[in-house]
Amino acid sequence: MNAGRATPVTWCQVTVYGPCGAVVEQWSLEGSGAPDLAVVDQLARLRLEATRSGMDVGLTNVCPDLADLLSLVGLNPLAPDPKAAGRPFD
């Protein structure tokens, strides 16, 4: 048992889509405790970099705390597929 270590919490599933909408990469975004604005900043930077490369980013299985933060700053995490519902953060 690891005394003093918090169990990681999954905040969301991140998917990077290529120019044709195919999944390029997918992973779980995790951390200890609740997400904060630094996590939102990193997701926004990931989206910006992906967009500059002709790709897009989608979030699924978003935990309520992260969804609240994304809503607070005006980023919509609820579109799992950019081809189905517009850009994931619009």
Side-chain angles (χ1 to χ4, degrees):
M1 192 192 279
N2 294 330
R5 286 198 159 175
T7 303
V9 176
T10 300
W11 295 326
C12 69
Q13 185 78 22
V14 180
T15 305
V16 178
Y17 298 95
C20 299
V23 173
V24 174
E25 187 147 356
Q26 192 172 46
W27 66 91
S28 293
L29 182 61
E30 304 177 330
S32 58
D36 57 17
L37 289 174
V39 174
V40 173
D41 180 62
Q42 289 300 314
L43 288 170
R45 290 173 187 272
L46 173 65
R47 162 95 187 292
L48 179 63
E49 186 140 344
T51 301
R52 287 179 176 166
S53 300
M55 297 189 233
D56 216 337
V57 176
L59 305 180
T60 54
N61 302 322
V62 180
C63 75
D65 289 337
L66 182 56
D68 288 346
L69 285 173
L70 290 168
S71 293
L72 177 70
V73 298
L75 300 175
N76 178 11
L78 302 178
D81 182 337
K83 301 299 181 204
R87 302 184 72 102
F89 287 119
D90 289 348

